[in-house]
Amino acid sequence: MDTRPALSGYAFADTPLDRADKLRDDVAALLGLWPQARILIVDDEGRAHADETGQAMVVTGTQLGGGPGAAIFLGLREAQAWFAVRADVVSFEAPQRIDLRRAAATWPAFEAGVFALARALLHWHAGTRHCGTCGGAVEFRRAGYQGACTQCGREHYPRVDPAVIVAVSDGERLLLGRQSGWPARRWSVVAGFVEPGESLEQTVAREVYEETRVRVRASRYLGAQPWPFPGALMLGFEADAEPDEPQVDGELEAARWFGVDEIGEALRREAAGDDGEGVLLSSPISIARSLIEHWYMQRGALA
């Protein structure tokens, strides 16, 4: 029996919001829900309105006035509706505006997940002004979840880009890489987008080999994280690989194997407050970090 712990602890993956698909076409029902609805306001830079403490400043439909209009219906939490609206279409100010990464680290999980959904959909709206087939103007329907070309009639839907992210091990060590644009000392697991005609397992093997020249023997799916920067779905894997010497060819600045002691030291140092020395691991809000911790826990259990 496989008793390995499930991945946990990363942001955006546990949002108990009922998407309530059937309500998206029910204008009367949405209008009735509007006065008591909770509404998240997001600006063109993807920042949400927040209060003096940095927590979500969520307003009601009564406070905003009017009706749903161009607001996006996100779903229901119990009987209360949640919407998202662009900051430039409402007359409402906030003490501050914060980005999604900060919200993921400081807001309750539910509000951070709602923000992630709102940001992803609003980003899609912003990038879908014209039809990719004929160039006609796109108008949004179904409470913001469907675009329709006013010229050729083509339907458009929110885009989600699948990507694999993988903890690669040779049985004793963990493979990590770093990109040149990352903060100094930061290392993380290998990741890459799925290409047409590939299975996820094929993507794992290809991406790991392309970025590090390490050969994957087998891989196993562990969990997923929506990653709305702006619209990826990170599919987490662990993989067994040959103990090849990592080589990089430009996608990564560096890649190397890390032992259990090195990973443990990095985790302990961060828990105690980073001292400015040694390796920095992926952000705690990411599935990348959960994959690293999962590998470390497994090695600790087997030691």
Side-chain angles (χ1 to χ4, degrees), residues 51-176:
D51 63 21
E52 294 85 352
T53 69
Q55 291 299 299
M57 194 184 79
V58 181
V59 301
T60 66
T62 296
Q63 289 174 297
L64 283 186
I72 298 175
F73 173 59
L74 303 175
L76 299 173
R77 189 182 195 188
E78 297 178 351
Q80 188 167 57
W82 283 74
F83 289 83
V85 66
R86 295 195 342 258
D88 63 348
V89 301
V90 296
S91 299
F92 213 93
E93 294 302 322
Q96 59 181 305
R97 301 181 182 189
I98 71 170
D99 64 28
L100 184 54
R101 292 180 189 272
R102 179 179 167 191
T106 59
W107 287 11
F110 175 77
E111 283 80 359
V114 171
F115 183 9
L117 172 59
R119 185 187 187 281
L121 287 171
L122 288 167
H123 184 273
W124 172 63
H125 278 214
T128 315
R129 304 286 179 84
H130 299 279
C131 177
T133 300
C134 72
V138 171
E139 65 177 23
F140 293 98
R141 303 171 180 171
R142 303 204 74 235
Y145 273 81
Q146 181 191 80
C149 177
T150 57
Q151 185 166 291
C152 72
R154 180 182 174 184
E155 295 179 350
H156 299 264
Y157 295 92
R159 176 174 173 173
V160 177
D161 297 316
V164 299
I165 184 162
V166 53
V168 180
S169 177
D170 66 354
E172 298 295 331
R173 301 173 296 173
L174 180 67
L175 179 65
L176 299 180

Side-chain angles (χ1 to χ4, degrees), residues 26 81 107 147 171 180 241 273 296 301:
D26 195 333
W107 287 11
S180 59
Y296 178 72

Side-chain angles (χ1 to χ4, degrees), residues 58 84 141 184 198 217 222 227:
V58 181
R141 303 171 180 171
E198 280 188 323
R217 297 195 304 266
L222 294 178
W227 194 245

